Amino acid sequence: MSFDTIPSKASLQPKPFSAHVSDEDLKSFQTLLKHSRIGPKTYENLTADVKDFNHWGISRQWVADAKQHWETKYDWRKTEDRINSYPNFTVPIEDSGFDFQIHFVALFSKKPDAVPLALLHGWPGSFLEFLGTLDVLREKYKPEDLPFHVIVPSLPGYGYSNGPPLDKNFDTEGIARVVDKLMVGLGFGDGGYVAQGGDVGSFVSRVLGVNSEACMAVHLNLAIGIQQPDDVPMDALSKEEQEGLVRYNDFGNLGNAYAREHGTRPSTIGLVLSSSPVALLAWVGEKFLQWSDESPPLDEILDSVTLYWFTDSFPRAIYPYRQFFGPKPTFFHPDAQWYIKKPMGYSWHPKELAPVPKAWVAKSGNLVWYRGHTEGGHFAAMERPKYFVKDVEDFVKEVWPTVK
């Protein structure tokens, strides 16, 4: 079944793209990985509990086992085949005098009233987070009855997209401009589209909901930064929400130490983690393990780390953190400037980094749809793709008729 038919109203001319690392580069990487050393045993790395924000991070044993699997059993070619089983494209998009080459994966519908949907990833994720979602949709629908045009871009600086510029600052608002130009250029300007995001994608989605005329509704699964409103007492929250706040506080106290490094020393950490695949594995692997409800399969973690390595994503992708911890920090979600007046949806997961209660999120926008889950963590689409698809389907079904 073909999901690659670009809408007739598109003004952009995307070119088909195939993921492929040369045999030479793959062999070079495998040699480097083999000779990359693991640091010595320490009290901390022998006792570390990666699931606990208050503990020491990743364990040496996990890194050693993962490195051995990466060397001897992992198959990047298999991952490339999976990526290439979907329609992939690249397209030039100009922003503020800079030419981006934006990569995106798509499932284009042939249904006349299909709703355009932008699925926006974050860090340490990529478009790979949504492949399970695309699997669910591709199995459930044919091009003729798919209810969405699903667009999954690699944000600027991530994966197969280039940027950001080397000679000037670039920020979250800039990401939103590029995503908006992509969606409008694909022919979704007149009818509008829905933005969905977690992690960095949640900030981008919020900016789109405020700044873009074409973005008609926003669905989030992260609203970090929002604090307790004066008129929402703690006893008004459910038991599950109160338990989630313990996790939120733990993350705020110690769990976001990594983010301060990204935001205040992006040059240093970027150079360090670009020098060794094992260093990148430890830094990124820790986040997938710690931020998920159930730990993802090792191969899924290695997919993301390997993509980051071959595309030099890490140092190019952490620039948004400078806004979170710079001279004038903003997390967007709690800022009145970024209140979403358009229909907003929110999915709550107990093992999210910041399981912000529904009543708190409602202070940040026109919250018209909500679903609380009993399972799930930070990577909602990757961890539980069927539930993620259900949330998006139900949200769009409820709000789209109200904005058209």
Side-chain angles (χ1 to χ4, degrees):
M1 293 183 291
S2 175
F3 291 92
D4 60 357
T5 303
I6 298 170
S8 60
K9 293 183 179 181
S11 58
L12 295 174
Q13 296 180 326
K15 295 181 179 179
F17 171 85
S18 292
H20 180 73
V21 172
S22 70
D23 291 340
E24 181 181 0
D25 286 346
L26 184 57
K27 184 176 181 180
S28 176
F29 163 74
Q30 291 168 338
T31 300
L32 179 61
L33 176 61
K34 180 179 180 180
H35 293 287
S36 295
R37 67 186 294 267
I38 299 174
K41 295 179 180 179
T42 65
Y43 166 71
E44 292 84 4
N45 67 39
L46 291 178
T47 60
D49 178 1
V50 73
K51 290 292 189 182
D52 186 350
F53 288 138
N54 297 303
H55 223 255
W56 315 123
I58 197 75
S59 74
R60 187 182 189 279
Q61 188 63 55
W62 185 89
V63 174
D65 291 344
K67 178 180 183 289
Q68 183 181 36
H69 182 87
W70 209 3
E71 284 184 50
T72 61
K73 297 181 180 179
Y74 177 76
D75 184 359
W76 173 248
R77 293 298 187 210
K78 182 178 178 181
T79 301
E80 286 183 332
D81 288 343
R82 186 185 181 201
I83 293 170
N84 293 332
S85 73
Y86 301 98
N88 282 252
F89 303 90
T90 57
V91 65
I93 294 179
E94 184 276 333
D95 181 72
S96 302
F98 183 81
D99 293 327
F100 288 92
Q101 283 289 332
I102 297 299
H103 162 261
F104 66 97
V105 183
L107 293 182
F108 288 114
S109 176
K110 296 180 180 179
K111 194 170 183 285
D113 59 349
V115 178
L117 174 65
L119 301 180
L120 306 178
H121 66 79
W123 187 93
S126 67
F127 73 94
L128 295 177
E129 287 183 57
F130 295 104
L131 293 190
T133 296
L134 299 182
D135 283 340
V136 172
L137 291 171
R138 192 166 59 174
E139 291 168 4
K140 185 175 181 180
Y141 298 106
K142 300 181 179 66
E144 291 74 20
D145 61 4
L146 177 65
F148 309 110
H149 294 291
V150 186
I151 310 299
V152 185
S154 294
L155 299 183
Y158 289 78
Y160 300 116
S161 291
N162 75 329
L166 299 179
D167 59 351
K168 58 185 176 182
N169 187 40
F170 191 69
D171 55 20
T172 303
E173 294 92 321
I175 301 175
R177 289 194 305 270
V178 171
V179 171
D180 189 56
K181 289 179 179 180
L182 172 65
M183 297 300 288
V184 171
L186 289 174
F188 308 136
D190 293 337
Y193 64 87
V194 174
Q196 195 290 326
D199 199 86
V200 173
S202 73
F203 306 129
V204 177
S205 295
R206 182 171 288 275
V207 173
L208 287 168
V210 174
N211 284 354
S212 169
E213 293 183 3
C215 180
M216 308 300 289
V218 173
H219 179 272
L220 306 173
N221 51 275
L222 179 71
I224 193 170
I226 297 176
Q227 300 300 313
Q228 182 182 6
D230 292 337
D231 59 347
V232 182
M234 283 293 183
D235 60 11
L237 306 180
S238 69
K239 177 184 177 182
E240 291 75 17
E241 288 177 319
Q242 292 183 36
E243 291 173 349
L245 288 177
V246 174
R247 182 174 175 83
Y248 188 8
N249 290 333
D250 285 346
F251 178 74
N253 291 334
L254 291 174
N256 71 355
Y258 86 95
R260 295 185 182 278
E261 185 72 19
H262 286 192
T264 62
R265 297 294 185 271
S267 175
T268 304
I269 192 67
L271 290 168
V272 168
L273 297 188
S274 297
S275 66
S276 165
V278 171
L280 185 64
L281 170 65
W283 193 256
V284 172
E286 176 197 76
K287 311 308 181 291
F288 278 109
L289 295 172
Q290 188 174 80
W291 299 356
S292 299
D293 188 352
E294 296 183 7
S295 297
L298 178 56
D299 275 359
E300 286 194 16
I301 296 176
L302 293 177
D303 285 344
S304 291
V305 180
T306 308
L307 175 71
Y308 267 39
W309 183 264
F310 282 129
T311 59
D312 289 322
S313 284
F314 180 81
R316 301 188 301 125
I318 57 175
Y319 60 91
Y321 285 86
R322 291 188 285 103
Q323 283 183 280
F324 311 151
F325 297 100
K328 296 181 180 180
T330 177
F331 274 91
F332 294 92
H333 296 304
D335 191 334
Q337 175 186 351
W338 301 107
Y339 181 95
I340 298 176
K341 298 178 182 178
K342 297 168 184 176
M344 183 175 76
Y346 176 57
S347 293
W348 182 93
H349 298 86
K351 297 301 182 180
E352 175 57 80
L353 300 180
V356 180
K358 173 186 177 182
W360 296 17
V361 176
K363 300 294 183 179
S364 74
N366 178 24
L367 186 65
V368 298
W369 186 94
Y370 169 82
R371 179 166 290 151
H373 293 270
T374 58
E375 298 176 309
H378 185 63
F379 305 98
M382 187 178 81
E383 293 180 55
R384 306 173 81 232
K386 290 183 179 180
Y387 292 91
F388 177 80
V389 168
K390 176 66 173 172
D391 282 6
V392 172
E393 286 181 329
D394 290 351
F395 169 68
V396 172
K397 188 181 299 183
E398 183 170 325
V399 305
W400 195 249
T402 70
V403 299
K404 298 306 294 175

